[in-house]
């Protein structure tokens, strides 16, 4: 019988700790937060010092009862959620439910989940950090006050269902302001000139025009902005000698980058692996909580992944230096460990993200990790190892060449010692200059040497606006502005995308939607403080001060609430009422002759007849660059309405495009835009109908029997006309997953057969047992798709 109870957040972490602690310890998982503010109301008593009304989260009552039951006869209870504010709040709420007078409840912190770290933490337990809990509580209440006060205002002024957030709305504002800068940007022409030259000895080399008549060629002093100006400058060089006036040779050192903090890991995984921040954090969470390494059992491979500190423990430094010397040789080990300075507001309680042990190099653990786990672990491993290696050394040369009134400059460098570059170099965003520019060898030249001109190449350029943000570069911007913390970066980006205030284009760049721009403009005008970058960063500083005991959380809340409540009262009266707003146009309704107006609907702006409700004519429209409004022409199709015989046209509804009768409103017939497509696979349930590919009203593909509604068999995954090799079912299904790639499964829930398809060689690999991908589910007919969709959406089987 276990004498002690340990409570963690996740089942994966519970499994790893159970292995380390042995039979005298029972490990339970809370599965995240167990208590929170109620969803149905504000849950904060502003008049009573912002007293919070906490409720047990739906579905967590049984988990709490299990924890309380397990704790009854235990000598010690150890609360071991993650070592951050959210983890402290989880520990605080569980402790309250266990009973505030219990003396055997302890708080333990793990920066890494290794046997040594876990046993050391259990041996030296602490108490719940009240300041850290109050910092989390202040953040939660701040977010609730903003969200639950601004959202109803947006419902009233724009449309129901909208929401606003203290930090997320600032992130949307940053994206909107970048978009305005891009649209307002005017490209300017400029020219560069390169000369291909050679001396008496090879190789030929390139020099770039750097100065004309003593003025540097740049955007501040001098710019060649026309071809005529270029010809004027180069015209004086026709017969002038090209003479070397200066040669500089020096050794240049390039230093390694620090080990990862959360934001840098997310950015680098985006650059090098193409992973979005939320995906990177899910993978890192698994690596932190523990991965099954076969005979060794579950092992936590990395330290805590939500950190903004670059600090490394002395033990880890010693181990890294020993590994580098053994693997790469002593020249790669610097004389003293490399130490990196964290940013001034970093929470230094945690280390940087690093491997927990130098014993688990990527080659050793590769067989136990899936593709994405190995990719992220290798990234973290290489970055950490490189951070403790010697600097790279280059022999750099710069040569100035005079000709007429011009000075050309050639630069080159040769790698002398690769140092950390042997293991890792940091990626770069496309708007950053390359550190490798000027790479290559220049000929041996001396002052006074005359070189020969081989070719003179002018090149036209145009200035470019700042690029739109990606998820990774937005996080970089948020971090530099002091907005958010390591635990919130990924969720901030996810939230603004889910709310459809921002979308990603084909290049994965973030663009504000029409709705996002409108809501941002309204909020900035009415709540200049809340939507202010500096103000939001200052609030993050206040939360840090609360955690460090330098500020009382109620005082910080009052400082925020008083001006916010005044702005709220003012906005109730003065904010634009977009919902009821009708902006006149010069267009005339072709059905009744009354003026058309611009209104705002669920899908943005549209043209509507001012004669509504007598005339219900509406149209989409586009704006030209000069602001002119162009009504969108109705897209007439070859389809004919089966009710009245008139042509069907493409129309827009709540869930996207559909076919509607051109005789509307006299005829309101509608059909789905995408017709069901046959798959050639017989229905598993009735054996008569053919499985048809359909699209739900939200655009998601699903597969259902063609005999609907007589047969209501539905599958989310694509049917493959092959019998199950395990149970002989009529067909199997195929799905592409993020974790395992292409996976094939049996359609029968009770069978559980599934295989992973290796796209590289076409072979199959077994996967863990799972739930089935298909289920008989009632369907209902919907105006948006006509053919129906699954009514009660269930989670498709996951691998």
């Amino acid at each position: 019988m276990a004498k002690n109870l340990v409570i963690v957040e996740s089942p994966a972490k519970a499994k790893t700790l159970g292995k380390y602690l042995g039979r005298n310890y029972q490990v339970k998982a809370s599965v995240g937060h167990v208590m929170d503010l109620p969803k149905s109301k504000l849950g904060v008593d502003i008049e009573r010092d912002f007293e919070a009304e906490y409720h047990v989260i739906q579905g967590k009552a049984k988990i709490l009862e299990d924890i309380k039951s397990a704790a009854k006869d235990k000598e010690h209870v150890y609360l071991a959620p993650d070592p951050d504010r959210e983890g402290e709040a989880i520990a605080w709420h569980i402790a309250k439910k266990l009973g505030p007078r219990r003396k055997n409840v302890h708080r333990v912190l793990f920066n890494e989940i290794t046997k040594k770290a876990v046993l050391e933490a259990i041996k030296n337990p602490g108490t719940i950090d009240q300041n850290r809990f109050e910092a989390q509580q202040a953040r939660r209440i701040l977010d609730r006050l903003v969200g639950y006060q601004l959202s109803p205002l947006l419902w009233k002024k724009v449309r129901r269902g909208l929401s606003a957030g203290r930090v997320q709305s600032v992130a949307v504002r940053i994206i909107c302001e970048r978009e305005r800068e891009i649209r307002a940007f005017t490209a300017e022409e400029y020219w560069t000139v390169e000369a291909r030259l050679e001396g008496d000895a090879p190789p030929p080399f390139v020099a770039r025009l750097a100065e004309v008549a003593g003025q540097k060629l740049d955007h501040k002093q001098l710019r060649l902005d026309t071809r005529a100006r270029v010809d004027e400058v180069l015209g004086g060089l026709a017969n002038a000698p090209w003479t070397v006036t200066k040669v500089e040779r020096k050794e240049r050192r390039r230093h390694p980058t620090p080990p990862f903090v959360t934001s840098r890991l997310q950015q680098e995984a985006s650059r090098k692996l193409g992973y979005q921040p939320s995906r990177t954090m899910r993978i890192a969470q698994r690596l932190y909580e523990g991965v099954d390494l076969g005979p060794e059992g579950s092992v936590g491979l990395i330290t805590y992944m939500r950190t903004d500190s670059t600090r490394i423990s002395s033990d880890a430094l010693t181990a890294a230096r020993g590994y580098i010397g053994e693997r790469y040789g002593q020249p790669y080990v610097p004389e003293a460990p490399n130490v990196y300075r964290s940013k001034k507001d970093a929470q230094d309680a945690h280390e940087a993200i690093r491997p927990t042990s130098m014993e688990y190099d990527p080659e050793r653990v590769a067989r136990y990790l899936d593709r994405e786990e190995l990719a992220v672990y290798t990234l973290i491993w290489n970055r950490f190892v490189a951070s403790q290696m010697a600097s790279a050394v280059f022999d750099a040369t710069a040569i100035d060449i005079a000709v007429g009134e011009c000075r050309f400059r050639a630069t080159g460098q040769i790698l002398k010692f690769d140092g950390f570059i042997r293991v890792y170099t940091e990626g770069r965003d496309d708007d950053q200059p390359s550190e490798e520019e000027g790479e290559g060898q220049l000929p041996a030249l001396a002052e006074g040497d005359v070189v020969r001109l081989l070719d003179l190449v002018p090149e036209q350029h145009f200035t470019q606006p700042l690029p739109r943000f990606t998820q990774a570069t937005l996080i970089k911007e948020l971090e530099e502005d002091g907005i958010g913390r390591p635990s919130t970066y990924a969720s901030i980006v996810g939230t603004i995308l889910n709310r459809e205030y921002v979308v990603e284009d084909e290049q994965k760049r973030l663009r504000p939607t029409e709705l996002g721009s409108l809501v941002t403009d309204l909020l900035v005008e009415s709540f200049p403080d809340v939507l202010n970058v500096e103000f939001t960063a200052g609030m993050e500083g206040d939360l840090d001060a609360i955690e460090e005991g330098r500020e009382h959380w109620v005082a910080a809340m009052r400082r925020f609430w008083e001006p916010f409540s005044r702005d709220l009262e003012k906005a109730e009266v003065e904010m634009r009422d977009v919902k009821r707003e009708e902006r006149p146009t010069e267009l005339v309704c072709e059905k009744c002759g009354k003026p058309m107006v611009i209104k705002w609907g669920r899908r943005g702006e549209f043209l509507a007849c001012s004669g509504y409700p007598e005339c219900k004519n509406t149209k989409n429209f586009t704006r030209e660059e000069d602001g002119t409004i162009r009504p969108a022409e109705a897209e007439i199709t070859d389809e004919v309405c089966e009710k009245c015989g008139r042509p069907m046209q493409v129309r827009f509804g709540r869930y996207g495009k559909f076919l509607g009768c051109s005789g509307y409103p006299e005829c309101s017939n509608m059909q789905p835009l995408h017709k069901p497509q046959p798959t050639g696979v017989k229905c598993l349930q009735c054996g008569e109908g053919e499985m048809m590919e359909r699209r739900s009203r939200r655009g998601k593909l699903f597969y259902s029997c063609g005999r609907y509604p007589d047969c209501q068999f539905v599958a989310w995954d694509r049917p493959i006309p092959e019998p199950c090799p395990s149970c002989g079912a009529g067909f199997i299904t195929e799905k592409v997953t993020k974790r395992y790639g292409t996976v094939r499964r049996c359609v029968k829930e009770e069978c559980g057969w599934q295989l992973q398809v290796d796209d590289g060689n076409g072979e199959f690999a077994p996967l863990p047992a799972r739930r089935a991908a298909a289920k008989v589910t009632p369907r209902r007919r919907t105006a948006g798709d006509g053919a129906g969709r699954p009514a009660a959406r269930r989670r498709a089987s996951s691998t």
Side-chain angles (χ1 to χ4, degrees):
M1 184 70 175
K3 298 179 181 179
N4 306 289
L5 175 64
V6 180
I7 302 169
V8 296
E9 285 171 290
S10 74
K13 190 191 293 187
K15 178 182 176 182
T16 306
L17 262 64
K19 169 204 161 190
Y20 294 150
L21 294 173
R23 62 183 182 181
N24 280 330
Y25 292 83
Q26 182 182 9
V27 186
K28 287 275 188 181
S30 69
V31 196
H33 282 275
V34 293
M35 301 188 72
D36 196 7
L37 301 174
K39 288 187 176 182
S40 58
K41 57 181 179 179
L42 183 64
V44 179
D45 192 333
I46 298 169
E47 302 301 323
R48 300 180 62 180
D49 287 342
F50 303 92
E51 181 179 324
E53 179 185 336
Y54 290 111
H55 289 236
V56 175
I57 296 172
Q58 186 176 3
K60 292 298 181 74
K62 186 177 186 305
I63 291 174
L64 268 177
E65 287 303 315
D66 288 346
I67 290 173
K68 289 167 68 175
S69 176
K72 282 181 180 178
D73 58 350
K74 297 299 189 290
E75 293 180 7
H76 296 281
V77 177
Y78 299 95
L79 303 174
D82 286 346
D84 58 12
R85 292 175 189 165
E86 298 301 316
E88 211 67 29
I90 294 170
W92 191 91
H93 286 300
I94 292 175
K96 289 298 180 184
K97 283 297 181 180
L98 292 177
R101 297 182 181 178
R102 295 189 63 154
K103 303 298 182 184
N104 67 337
V105 177
H106 314 282
R107 177 73 164 115
V108 291
L109 302 172
F110 313 126
N111 184 57
E112 60 186 60
I113 303 180
T114 60
K115 187 171 185 178
K116 178 183 177 182
V118 169
L119 295 179
E120 186 68 23
I122 294 292
K123 184 179 178 181
N124 299 287
T127 58
I128 291 175
D129 187 329
Q130 186 68 18
N131 290 335
R132 182 177 289 175
F133 163 71
E134 288 177 353
Q136 189 278 341
Q137 179 172 252
R139 183 203 64 77
R140 185 73 186 92
I141 292 175
L142 276 171
D143 291 345
R144 174 56 63 98
L145 290 175
V146 173
Y148 273 50
Q149 300 291 343
L150 292 190
S151 297
L153 182 63
L154 293 175
W155 297 357
K156 178 181 177 182
K157 301 290 188 177
V158 185
R159 76 168 193 228
R160 288 193 64 83
L162 297 181
S163 60
R166 181 180 61 91
V167 178
Q168 293 90 338
S169 295
V170 176
V172 177
R173 178 181 183 177
I174 290 173
I175 295 170
C176 289
E177 289 179 346
R178 173 64 61 88
E179 188 69 20
R180 289 192 180 97
E181 289 176 17
I182 292 171
R183 292 178 180 177
F185 180 82
T186 301
E188 297 180 356
E189 180 182 5
Y190 70 99
W191 290 74
T192 59
V193 180
E194 288 186 344
R196 290 186 63 247
L197 305 166
E198 70 173 358
D200 293 335
F205 63 100
V206 173
R208 175 170 286 198
L209 178 62
E211 192 176 285
V212 177
Q215 287 187 294
K216 288 185 177 180
L217 193 64
D218 58 27
H219 289 286
K220 294 181 180 178
Q221 289 193 28
L222 174 67
R223 182 172 63 188
L224 303 180
D225 52 7
T226 65
R227 180 59 192 252
R229 178 69 175 120
V230 173
D231 291 341
E232 178 186 340
V233 169
L234 299 185
L237 309 184
N239 300 310
W242 293 69
T243 307
V244 175
T245 58
K246 185 178 180 181
V247 178
E248 292 180 334
R249 292 186 177 91
K250 61 182 178 180
E251 186 178 88
R252 187 178 74 84
R253 291 180 176 269
R254 182 175 166 194
H255 304 298
T257 45
F260 279 130
V261 295
T262 303
S263 59
R264 294 295 185 263
L265 172 62
Q266 293 170 351
Q267 291 160 32
E268 197 71 340
S270 175
R271 293 169 183 148
K272 293 196 169 185
L273 304 177
Y275 293 173
Q276 300 293 30
S278 56
R279 181 181 181 186
T280 300
M281 294 308 290
R282 286 196 301 270
I283 300 165
Q285 184 87 33
R286 299 200 299 265
L287 296 173
Y288 165 70
E289 292 181 341
V291 176
D292 190 348
L293 298 185
E296 297 182 61
S298 187
V299 175
L301 291 179
I302 65 170
T303 54
Y304 192 53
M305 65 285 161
R306 296 185 182 95
T307 177
D308 52 8
S309 170
T310 56
R311 183 177 62 83
I312 297 295
S313 71
S314 57
D315 288 346
L317 287 176
T318 301
R321 289 168 62 82
Y323 172 86
I324 293 165
E326 183 178 339
R327 179 77 178 263
Y328 302 106
Q330 284 304 312
Y332 289 88
V333 183
E335 292 184 6
N338 295 330
V339 177
Y340 301 93
R341 181 181 298 177
S342 300
K343 61 190 185 81
K344 64 178 182 179
D345 57 349
Q347 303 294 297
D348 210 42
H350 308 311
E351 293 185 53
I353 304 171
R354 62 166 176 82
T356 57
S357 172
M358 301 308 294
E359 296 179 7
Y360 299 117
D361 61 38
E363 293 83 2
R364 179 179 174 183
V365 301
R367 59 187 291 197
Y368 302 108
L369 304 181
D370 65 34
R371 187 183 313 165
E372 61 181 12
E373 288 170 345
L374 180 60
V376 172
Y377 183 62
T378 302
L379 199 65
I380 293 169
W381 175 278
N382 290 344
R383 175 87 166 212
F384 173 64
V385 170
S387 74
Q388 290 306 314
M389 294 178 72
S391 299
V393 182
F394 297 85
D395 281 335
T397 305
I399 301 174
D400 286 352
I401 301 156
V403 52
E405 290 187 328
C406 299
R407 177 175 65 85
F408 283 72
R409 188 172 180 85
T411 58
Q413 62 181 14
I414 300 173
L415 182 64
K416 185 177 179 181
F417 173 65
D418 56 1
F420 77 95
I421 291 176
R422 182 168 177 180
V423 174
Y424 179 88
T425 53
E426 186 174 37
R428 65 188 185 98
D429 299 314
D430 55 11
D431 60 330
Q432 295 175 332
S434 170
E435 292 194 43
E436 306 303 326
E437 288 177 354
E439 200 68 35
Q441 186 175 4
L442 295 177
L445 295 171
E447 291 183 19
D449 286 353
V450 176
V451 295
R452 292 179 296 278
L453 176 65
L454 301 178
D455 196 11
L456 203 55
V457 183
E459 186 174 356
Q460 184 186 41
H461 307 271
F462 292 92
T463 55
Q464 298 295 317
L466 288 169
R468 292 181 177 88
F469 292 105
T470 63
Q471 290 194 31
T473 57
L474 176 62
I475 287 173
K476 180 181 179 182
E477 184 81 7
L478 294 174
E479 181 192 36
E480 291 175 351
D481 288 340
I483 297 172
R485 283 296 180 261
S487 60
T488 63
Y489 293 140
S491 64
I492 290 170
V493 178
T495 298
I496 63 177
L497 285 167
N498 290 337
R499 290 178 177 173
E500 297 183 354
Y501 290 156
V502 173
V503 295
E504 285 185 311
D505 62 19
E506 294 178 355
Q507 288 78 41
K508 298 295 183 182
R509 299 283 179 178
L510 299 176
R511 296 171 180 257
T513 61
E514 191 176 5
L515 176 63
S517 297
L518 172 67
V519 169
T520 297
D521 289 344
L522 293 175
L523 294 178
V524 168
E525 183 177 355
S526 296
F527 301 91
D529 285 341
V530 175
L531 270 288
N532 181 276
V533 170
E534 290 77 17
F535 178 84
T536 305
M539 287 303 306
E540 296 290 352
D542 291 344
L543 295 176
D544 292 342
I546 294 168
E547 181 170 347
E548 294 161 10
R550 296 184 285 108
E551 170 91 81
H552 194 280
W553 76 275
V554 174
M557 296 300 303
R558 285 187 183 134
R559 253 195 340 269
F560 167 81
W561 174 250
E562 289 174 3
F564 176 67
S565 60
R566 289 195 297 270
D567 287 344
L568 194 64
E569 291 179 5
K570 188 177 178 182
E572 287 280 354
V573 178
E574 298 182 3
M575 182 182 279
R576 279 175 56 200
D577 194 341
V578 178
K579 184 186 290 187
R580 295 167 180 81
E581 197 173 66
E582 294 184 354
R583 282 172 286 163
T585 72
E586 296 179 357
L587 300 174
V588 175
C589 175
E590 71 275 16
K591 293 190 175 181
C592 71
K594 291 184 179 179
M596 298 290 281
V597 295
I598 298 174
K599 301 182 71 172
W600 182 269
R602 291 191 59 86
R603 303 186 64 84
E605 291 181 318
F606 66 96
L607 287 171
C609 180
S610 58
Y612 180 86
E614 289 78 15
C615 180
K616 299 178 180 179
N617 186 24
T618 61
K619 288 186 176 184
N620 292 317
F621 69 90
T622 58
R623 276 195 177 93
E624 304 292 340
E625 290 187 4
D626 60 1
T628 304
I629 294 172
R630 301 289 183 193
E633 296 297 328
E635 183 181 341
I636 303 296
T637 70
D638 295 332
E639 299 285 332
V640 176
C641 176
E642 67 269 24
K643 292 187 177 180
C644 70
R646 281 178 277 200
M648 299 290 282
Q649 65 184 34
V650 177
R651 303 185 67 186
F652 292 85
R654 180 177 180 181
Y655 296 103
K657 295 180 179 180
F658 66 96
L659 290 178
C661 181
S662 58
Y664 181 84
E666 289 81 9
C667 179
S668 57
N669 184 30
M670 61 183 69
Q671 298 174 5
L673 184 62
H674 300 283
K675 297 293 184 178
Q677 299 295 321
T679 63
V681 177
K682 287 290 184 183
C683 174
L684 184 71
Q685 179 170 296
C686 69
E688 299 178 15
E690 182 178 1
M691 295 295 289
M692 307 293 288
E693 179 183 288
R694 304 181 188 272
R695 194 174 292 273
S696 73
R697 65 180 185 179
R698 296 187 184 274
K700 184 175 180 181
L701 288 175
F702 70 98
Y703 304 86
S704 63
C705 180
R707 294 182 60 245
Y708 175 82
D710 296 330
C711 179
Q712 299 186 1
F713 184 76
V714 174
W716 281 113
D717 301 343
R718 184 167 67 91
I720 302 295
E722 297 178 12
C724 172
S726 177
C727 70
F731 65 87
I732 58 176
T733 64
E734 185 175 272
K735 180 180 182 179
V736 178
T737 69
K738 289 183 178 180
R739 184 171 183 183
Y740 292 112
T742 303
V743 175
R744 290 188 173 182
R745 304 158 168 161
C746 180
V747 73
K748 286 189 175 180
E749 185 170 355
E750 61 272 16
C751 176
W753 174 88
Q754 65 175 0
L755 285 179
Q756 176 185 6
V757 180
D758 185 334
D759 292 332
N761 54 29
E763 294 181 355
F764 293 84
L767 290 173
R770 50 79 190 169
R771 293 173 61 195
K775 182 178 181 180
V776 178
T777 311
R779 295 191 288 125
R780 67 183 178 204
R781 195 169 292 274
T782 310
D785 60 20
R789 66 175 183 89
R793 179 173 295 188
R794 57 179 292 276
R795 182 182 178 185
S797 61
S798 60
T799 52

